[in-house]
Amino acid sequence: MTDRQLRNRHHLLIDALLLVVSGLAAYTLRFEGLGWVDAWGANALTFLLVTIPLRLGVFYLFGMYRSLWYLASVSELDRVVRAGIVAGTLSTAFGLLVLPAIGWMDTRVPIGVLGLDFAMTCGAVAMSRFVPRLLWWRKRCRATAHGERVLIVGAGQAGQMTARELTGNPRLQLTPVGFVDDDASKHGQHLMGIPVLGALADLPSILLRHSVNQLIIAMPSSPGSVVREVVRAALDAGVHTRTMPGLYEILSGKQGVSHLRDVEIQDLLRRAPIDTDLRAIRKLVSGKQVVITGAGGSIGSELCRQIARVGPSHMLLLGHGENSIFEILEELRDRVPTLRFSCVIADIRDQARIEAIFQRFRPHVVFHAAAHKHVPLMEENIMEAVTNNVIGTQIVLNAAVRAETPNFVLISSDKAVRPSSIMGATKRIAEQITQIAAETYGQHYVSVRFGNVLGSRGSVVPTFLRQIRAGGPITVTDPDMTRYFLTIPEAVQLVMQAATLGAGGDVFVLDMGEPVRIADLARDLIRLSGLQEGRDVEICYTGRRAGEKLFEEVFFQGEEVVATSHPKVLSARNLDVSSDAEATIDALVRAAARNASDEELVSYLRHLVPEFQRPQDEALVGDFDDVVIERGASRDRAEALLRESLDSRLRA
C-alpha cells in the first residue's frame, strides 16, 4: 500500500467523522442545545445514515481521494467547492423531500439544520485538506526566510510562478521581498502575500531600500529594451540578475518554467515571440523526405531540431564535417527516437556524389544551409568562396531539379545586398541561381536573407566572451559599426515559415528588428560578466577588416518590398537577373575549374553583381583615375574605362 493510498484513506475516515459531527452540530445549533435529542433523534439518525454515504460517494466521484492535498492549489479548492455544493444539494433534497416521501422519517429535517449542515460540511471538508497545506507552506516560508533577498520584476503570471517556486523550495535559499511592475493598478497590492513595491523606473531606490541581493526578471515576453534597462539598473547597484526561461526554451524542453538562469545576451536583444503557422509548415514537411545541407552547422543543426518535431518521414543530414554531423545525429536520436535519419558525409562541390544522393533519396524539400560565411577569411580564399557558395549551390540545385524536388530553400545573408565582400557577392549570385532555377522549371525555389545569428560558430558573441575570459581587450572594428541580429531558434523558425510562402523565385527577408551597435553589445557582455569597462576589460578599436561594411542593408535599391501573410517575413521582388547571367555563371564555373586567378574570379563576380564594390577595388579605381586624369578625363570616365577593362577580360 502506497503512502498516497494511506493518506487518501485517512481523508475518507476524517470526512466520515466530520460529516457526523457537522450533522449533530447543526441540530444542536438549530435547537440551541441538546434538547432536540428526544424529539428529533430518530430523524437525525436516519438523515445521517442515508446522506453521509451519499456525500462520501459524491466526494469520491469528484476525485477528492485521488489528490496530493499537501500540494493543493486553486484547482483542488475548486474541486472541494463543487463537490460540497453537489453533496449539500443532494442531502438537502433527501432531508426535505425524499426521506419523508418514502416514509423513512415522520417529518422533514428542519431547514435551519440543513443550512447549517451544508455550510459546516463544506467548511470542515475544506479545512481538513487545506490546513495541512497551510502549515506545510508556513514551514517552507520559515525555511526560506533567511535566504538571499530577491526582488521579482513582473507581477504577472510568470512573477507568481517565480514567487511560488522561491517560497516553496527552501533549497534555493532565496527570499522574495517584493515585486516591481509598471502596471500602476498593482502598486501597493500584494501577490501571494508579497508586496508590489513600485514601477521599473523606481528600481534603483527599491534595490537600495530593501537591501536586495538578487533580481529575477519574470517577464518572458518583454522586449529587449526593457530587459536592458532592468539589467543595467541592477548591475549599477551591484545586484546579480537572473531570469526565467523564455517560451521557446520551455516548449523545446531545454528548460522548465521554474528554472532560473543568468541573463544572457539574447535576453537583451529579445523581440516579440514569433507566431509560427505550424499548419503550413506541417503541410510542407510532415510525412515527406527532407534534405538539409550543412546539417552540422549552427543554422543547419537547428533546422534539423525544429523540422524533426513536425514529423517528416525521413531526414537526410548532409555535411562535410563528420564530427558535427555525428553530434546532431546523436542528439536527434535521443529526442525523436522514432524518426528515420540518414547521414551523408559529402562535399556539395562533388557533383557526381550529390547527384547520386538526390536520385536515391528524391527529397520533397531541400534546406540548403551549407556555405562559407566568414567574411575576412573569404577575402583571402576567393576560390573557396566561389566553388562552395556559388558552384556548390548550383550543383545542389541541379540535383534537386533532376530529382524533381518541388521545394528548395537557400539560406542567404544580408551581406548579399550591395556586397562589399567576396562572401556577400557569392551569396548574391547563389540567390540569382535559385531565382533562375525557379523561373526556368516553375518550382517553389526561394531564398531567405537574414543577418548575424547570435551564438553561431565564429560569430561576435562567442569571440567577445572568449576575450573577456582572457582578461581582454575586446576588439571592435569600429565604434559606429552596427549589425542586425537574430537568435538561432527564431532565425530557423522564420526560415521554415518562409519556405511555405511565395510561388518561387522570391527572396524573403526576415524582420530582424532594429540594428545593434557592436560596441554596445561588447559593453553589455562586460556588464553581464560582472566586470566594468576600463577597470577590468578594455575595448580596443582595430579598424574595419577587408570586406566589412559599417552598416548592413537588407534590400537593394530598386527592389520592391512586398508584405507576405506572415508579419515578420517580407518578400523582396528582385530586379530582373541579367540576360547573360546564366552564361556568365557558366564561365565563372569554367574559370574556377581551371584554377583562374583571384582577379579574374572577382571580375566575374563584379559582372554578375554590379553593386559589388570592395575597398581594394575602390583603391584600384583611384589608381586608374590618376592616369586618366592626367589625360584630362573625368572620374566617371575613369570608372567606365576600368569596368570596360574588366568586362573585356570576361569576354576573353
Side-chain angles (χ1 to χ4, degrees):
M1 186 177 295
T2 66
D3 290 341
R4 191 175 78 172
Q5 288 172 326
L6 283 171
R7 285 196 297 272
N8 285 325
R9 289 190 176 188
H10 289 154
H11 278 300
L12 178 62
L13 294 174
I14 291 169
D15 286 345
L17 177 62
L18 289 173
L19 291 174
V20 172
V21 172
S22 297
L24 296 177
Y27 274 93
T28 302
L29 290 171
R30 165 65 176 79
F31 292 101
E32 300 182 9
L34 298 176
W36 61 271
V37 175
D38 292 336
W40 293 89
N43 180 289
L45 182 61
T46 303
F47 174 69
L48 294 176
L49 287 175
V50 172
T51 60
I52 287 175
L54 178 69
R55 284 182 277 185
L56 291 174
V58 170
F59 295 163
Y60 178 82
L61 292 175
F62 272 83
M64 289 177 62
Y65 304 113
R66 296 190 298 274
S67 294
L68 298 172
W69 290 105
Y70 73 97
L71 295 175
S73 62
V74 173
S75 62
E76 281 76 23
L77 176 61
D78 176 66
R79 185 182 306 170
V80 169
V81 171
R82 287 187 290 114
I85 290 172
V86 172
T89 302
L90 285 175
S91 64
T92 299
F94 269 74
L96 281 177
L97 303 172
V98 177
L99 295 177
I102 63 177
W104 285 21
M105 291 193 309
D106 295 333
T107 183
R108 63 173 176 77
V109 177
I111 293 176
V113 171
L114 292 172
L116 289 167
D117 179 60
F118 190 127
M120 286 191 292
T121 297
C122 290
V125 169
M127 286 182 63
S128 72
R129 286 160 170 77
F130 286 96
V131 166
R133 171 75 171 96
L134 178 62
L135 294 174
W136 176 83
W137 180 76
R138 286 186 177 278
K139 180 181 177 182
R140 291 279 180 141
C141 288
R142 287 195 298 271
T144 60
H146 303 293
E148 288 194 10
R149 297 171 64 79
V150 174
L151 183 69
I152 301 172
V153 180
Q157 289 186 343
Q160 183 183 22
M161 285 190 291
T162 303
R164 181 179 293 115
E165 179 68 15
L166 299 186
T167 55
N169 190 347
R171 288 177 298 178
L172 294 175
Q173 288 297 298
L174 299 173
T175 303
V177 297
F179 295 92
V180 290
D181 197 291
D182 278 341
D183 185 349
S185 65
K186 296 178 181 178
H187 297 171
Q189 305 297 315
H190 286 71
L191 178 62
M192 295 190 64
I194 303 168
V196 181
L197 300 172
L200 269 60
D202 304 322
L203 261 178
S205 61
I206 292 173
L207 292 171
L208 181 63
R209 188 166 64 249
H210 292 272
S211 303
V212 173
N213 305 114
Q214 282 199 40
L215 185 144
I216 294 176
I217 301 173
M219 303 183 298
S221 60
S222 288
S225 58
V226 174
V227 179
R228 283 197 294 273
E229 290 178 11
V230 172
V231 169
R232 286 168 185 169
L235 291 173
D236 288 343
V239 174
H240 183 60
T241 309
R242 302 169 80 182
T243 186
M244 279 187 67
L247 179 62
Y248 175 77
E249 294 173 285
I250 295 169
L251 293 179
S252 67
K254 294 178 180 177
Q255 297 284 341
V257 173
S258 62
H259 290 177
L260 300 174
R261 59 166 171 78
D262 287 346
V263 176
E264 298 171 354
I265 195 66
Q266 54 262 39
D267 297 309
L268 307 187
L269 303 174
R270 186 189 294 163
R271 284 175 286 276
I274 296 169
D275 184 16
T276 308
D277 184 0
L278 287 175
R279 287 184 300 176
I281 294 172
R282 285 197 180 97
K283 185 177 178 181
L284 175 69
V285 171
S286 182
K288 306 296 197 311
Q289 307 254 77
V290 180
V291 167
I292 300 166
T293 71
S298 304
I299 296 296
S301 59
E302 184 63 25
L303 273 167
C304 293
R305 294 182 191 100
Q306 294 198 30
I307 290 171
R309 287 201 294 269
V310 292
S313 63
H314 190 180
M315 282 177 61
L316 187 144
L317 283 54
L318 191 154
H320 199 203
E322 59 172 322
N323 291 329
S324 58
I325 293 293
F326 175 80
E327 288 169 5
I328 186 62
L329 175 64
E330 290 299 297
E331 179 185 334
L332 291 172
R333 280 177 172 166
D334 289 339
R335 289 187 176 198
V336 196
T338 58
L339 185 58
R340 185 182 173 199
F341 297 100
S342 295
C343 290
V344 174
I345 307 302
D347 191 328
I348 59 171
R349 294 171 288 194
D350 187 339
Q351 183 172 351
R353 180 122 167 83
I354 297 300
E355 290 276 359
I357 291 166
F358 274 63
Q359 285 300 316
R360 185 173 72 250
F361 195 73
R362 304 193 74 81
H364 180 76
V365 189
V366 175
F367 290 91
H368 181 44
H372 286 326
K373 65 177 184 178
H374 295 292
V375 170
L377 284 178
M378 292 306 101
E379 292 301 305
E380 299 176 10
N381 296 273
I382 296 175
M383 180 65 75
E384 277 293 310
V386 168
T387 56
N388 199 60
N389 295 357
V390 176
I391 299 174
T393 298
Q394 186 179 57
I395 288 171
V396 173
L397 257 171
N398 289 341
V401 168
R402 294 190 181 97
E404 299 179 341
T405 299
N407 298 282
F408 180 96
V409 182
L410 168 72
I411 308 300
S412 189
S413 166
D414 59 357
K415 292 175 177 59
V417 180
R418 292 170 53 85
S420 62
S421 64
I422 296 297
M423 180 273 193
T426 56
K427 293 301 282 185
R428 173 62 187 139
I429 297 170
E431 291 180 357
Q432 293 177 344
I433 293 170
T434 305
Q435 183 180 347
I436 291 169
E439 293 171 353
T440 303
Y441 301 103
Q443 298 285 24
H444 184 253
Y445 293 172
V446 300
S447 302
V448 183
R449 192 186 287 165
F450 57 86
N452 295 271
V453 179
L454 282 174
S456 61
R457 293 173 190 168
S459 65
V460 66
V461 172
T463 301
F464 285 171
L465 289 174
R466 186 176 65 251
Q467 291 173 337
I468 289 171
R469 284 193 295 268
I474 290 182
T475 54
V476 177
T477 54
D478 191 288
D480 295 320
M481 182 168 285
T482 65
R483 290 292 182 268
Y484 291 97
F485 284 98
L486 286 172
T487 64
I488 294 174
E490 68 179 335
V492 169
Q493 277 183 279
L494 290 175
V495 166
M496 292 169 61
Q497 190 69 71
T500 69
L501 303 173
D506 303 79
V507 175
F508 293 109
V509 179
L510 307 186
D511 176 4
M512 296 172 284
E514 295 298 320
V516 176
R517 289 206 328 163
I518 302 299
D520 290 341
L521 198 66
R523 292 188 183 97
D524 285 332
L525 283 170
I526 292 171
R527 291 191 188 98
L528 290 178
S529 301
L531 305 173
Q532 287 187 14
E533 179 191 355
R535 187 192 70 183
D536 304 303
V537 178
E538 298 284 348
I539 294 179
C540 176
Y541 297 101
T542 59
R544 278 187 281 169
R545 296 174 296 181
E548 283 189 328
K549 286 198 253 182
L550 199 58
F551 309 102
E552 293 292 1
E553 303 164 272
V554 291
F555 299 109
F556 280 92
Q557 186 176 3
E559 277 186 324
E560 181 185 2
V561 182
V562 181
T564 70
S565 59
H566 194 281
K568 288 189 176 291
V569 181
L570 300 173
S571 175
R573 298 279 173 83
N574 276 315
L575 302 173
D576 292 335
V577 177
S578 62
S579 57
D580 65 345
E582 286 188 80
T584 307
I585 291 169
D586 289 341
L588 175 61
V589 172
R590 291 194 298 273
R594 58 181 168 78
N595 202 26
S597 67
D598 286 350
E599 289 77 11
E600 184 174 352
L601 294 176
V602 169
S603 72
Y604 284 109
L605 299 183
R606 287 175 56 81
H607 187 86
L608 286 163
V609 188
E611 303 85 0
F612 174 37
Q613 188 70 55
R614 293 196 301 166
Q616 48 266 57
D617 294 333
E618 293 172 1
L620 179 59
V621 171
D623 293 341
F624 197 69
D625 270 352
D626 293 339
V627 178
V628 176
I629 288 170
E630 287 179 6
R631 304 201 306 253
S634 67
R635 179 178 179 82
D636 289 343
R637 175 61 178 158
E639 291 181 356
L641 288 172
L642 178 60
R643 176 60 59 85
E644 182 179 332
S645 172
L646 294 172
D647 288 348
S648 66
R649 184 186 299 171
L650 175 64
R651 287 192 296 272

